[in-house]
Amino acid sequence: MSRNYRLILDCPDQVGIVTRAGEVITRNGGWISEAAHHSDEDSSWFFSRFEIQGDSLPCGIDELRRQFEELKDELQLNLRLIDTAEKKRVVIMASKGSHCLSDLLDRWKSGDLDCDIPCVISNHEDMRGLVEWYGIPFHHVPIDKDDKAPGFAQVEALVEEYKADCVVLARYMQILPQALCEKLRHKVINIHHSFLPSFIGAKPYHQASRRGVKLIGATCHYVTEQLDEGPIIDQDVVRVSHSDKVEDLVRLGKDVEKTVLARGLRAHLEDRVLVHGNKTVVFN
């Protein structure tokens, strides 16, 4: 894979943003292979993503970053320059359910997800054999329901030890503490069924079946202190009917959960997700 640089920026909407950013790239002979822009009328905020061929530039990313500094104050830019040669490190957390975890591991092994997975953390031992089959370290960190702090302190230590750029909750059935959510803001990705807030608690598919729902789905989002209310990255739905049994709803729900989680993670890995308040711009 060729080495690319990604320029991700957002700022107050104004005339000339794309031109000014493009000038910095083109005066260095940079080849822009992909570009996407969005102007949000409600907030008067502008979002942009450029993909630049690294070998088209005579300078490295540090020099390019230095050249963009003069624009930051002038345009009030929030700006990131990312080197695609440096793979993001993704720590996965799971509990007893295997469908999302196994799907992510298979996509990683096959190269469909371009990242490193330095470890998997779980509050149960059930997934150890699966994870170690892929040659990935597995850490069992029990969470005591009467005193969760020691367990989550160990989780935080592991995330720091493995230098995680991103944490994925692949059906991890524990609520992260507020302090950890704040520390890892917009770096923790979660998946849940889209019945919320209608069917809260145990056996949501059984509740949905009794109500005769016609759509089931999943939501992939960033984790915040507000449970299941973080900025949404991806969603999808599947139609069901009166003839579908609870077992069918569960099966279809698992399928859409793992698909949406993989799509959301891919968008994050490719720096296609820009967060503004509690809303996201996700470039295709």
Side-chain angles (χ1 to χ4, degrees):
M1 180 179 295
S2 60
R3 183 179 203 146
N4 285 357
Y5 299 142
R6 292 184 187 132
L7 171 65
I8 315 298
L9 63 86
D10 65 276
C11 63
D13 206 356
Q14 56 202 286
V15 174
I17 303 169
V18 174
T19 299
R20 296 297 303 281
E23 283 175 349
V24 176
I25 301 167
T26 55
R27 75 183 179 212
N28 285 284
W31 188 298
I32 299 172
S33 58
E34 184 180 337
H37 319 292
H38 174 68
S39 178
D40 186 80
E41 294 183 2
D42 293 337
S43 61
S44 297
W45 209 260
F46 181 80
F47 307 85
S48 190
R49 177 186 183 276
F50 294 86
E51 192 100 14
I52 310 158
Q53 292 183 11
D55 58 7
S56 69
L57 295 166
C59 61
I61 194 169
D62 291 335
E63 172 59 22
L64 193 62
R65 190 177 286 118
R66 187 195 66 76
Q67 292 184 34
F68 271 106
E69 283 297 319
E70 61 192 59
L71 283 184
K72 289 180 68 174
D73 291 337
E74 180 183 343
L75 300 179
Q76 301 177 55
L77 290 178
N78 299 309
L79 182 146
R80 290 181 292 143
L81 263 170
I82 299 117
D83 188 342
T84 63
E86 299 175 4
K87 291 187 178 184
K88 291 182 175 63
R89 296 171 62 81
V90 178
V91 168
I92 301 177
M93 299 180 66
S95 290
K96 292 185 175 181
S98 63
H99 60 290
C100 286
L101 174 62
S102 60
D103 182 68
L104 292 179
L105 293 177
D106 183 69
R107 291 175 189 267
W108 165 77
K109 184 71 172 179
S110 65
D112 289 343
L113 288 174
D114 186 27
C115 64
D116 290 330
I117 301 178
C119 78
V120 172
I121 303 170
S122 179
N123 56 323
H124 296 282
E125 283 279 6
D126 301 54
M127 297 297 108
R128 179 181 291 277
L130 171 66
V131 172
E132 292 182 345
W133 185 87
Y134 282 92
I136 296 173
F138 178 90
H139 294 275
H140 176 220
V141 182
I143 304 295
D144 187 338
K145 63 182 178 64
D146 297 319
D147 185 10
K148 297 187 176 185
F152 280 119
Q154 187 177 348
V155 167
E156 184 174 348
L158 286 168
V159 169
E160 291 180 357
E161 176 186 342
Y162 284 102
K163 298 179 174 60
D165 298 301
C166 173
V167 176
V168 177
L169 307 185
R171 300 299 289 147
Y172 181 70
M173 306 306 289
Q174 293 288 329
I175 299 173
L176 298 187
Q178 179 174 338
L180 190 56
C181 291
E182 292 174 350
K183 183 175 183 178
L184 300 174
R185 183 168 298 276
H186 304 155
K187 293 183 178 180
V188 182
I189 295 173
N190 191 23
I191 187 73
H192 65 74
H193 58 78
S194 290
F195 295 141
L196 296 174
S198 298
F199 306 124
I200 300 172
K203 297 186 176 181
Y205 288 97
H206 291 72
Q207 299 178 52
S209 179
R210 287 194 293 270
R211 282 289 302 275
V213 299
K214 301 299 183 262
L215 287 174
I216 60 174
T219 296
C220 176
H221 64 94
Y222 289 118
V223 172
T224 62
E225 307 86 89
Q226 289 73 43
L227 182 63
D228 295 328
E229 294 185 14
I232 293 170
I233 305 171
D234 203 337
Q235 291 179 299
D236 209 344
V237 294
V238 175
R239 284 199 169 273
V240 295
S241 74
H242 58 275
S243 63
D244 288 304
K245 300 177 181 178
V246 172
E247 294 80 7
D248 297 320
L249 301 189
V250 172
R251 172 178 54 80
L252 293 168
K254 286 181 177 180
D255 286 345
V256 73
E257 282 178 7
K258 64 186 182 184
T259 300
V260 169
L261 180 58
R263 281 207 312 251
L265 176 57
R266 179 187 291 277
H268 177 87
L269 293 174
E270 295 179 355
D271 305 295
R272 297 185 182 278
V273 187
L274 285 76
V275 181
H276 189 66
N278 203 49
K279 184 178 178 180
T280 59
V281 171
V282 184
F283 290 119
N284 295 326

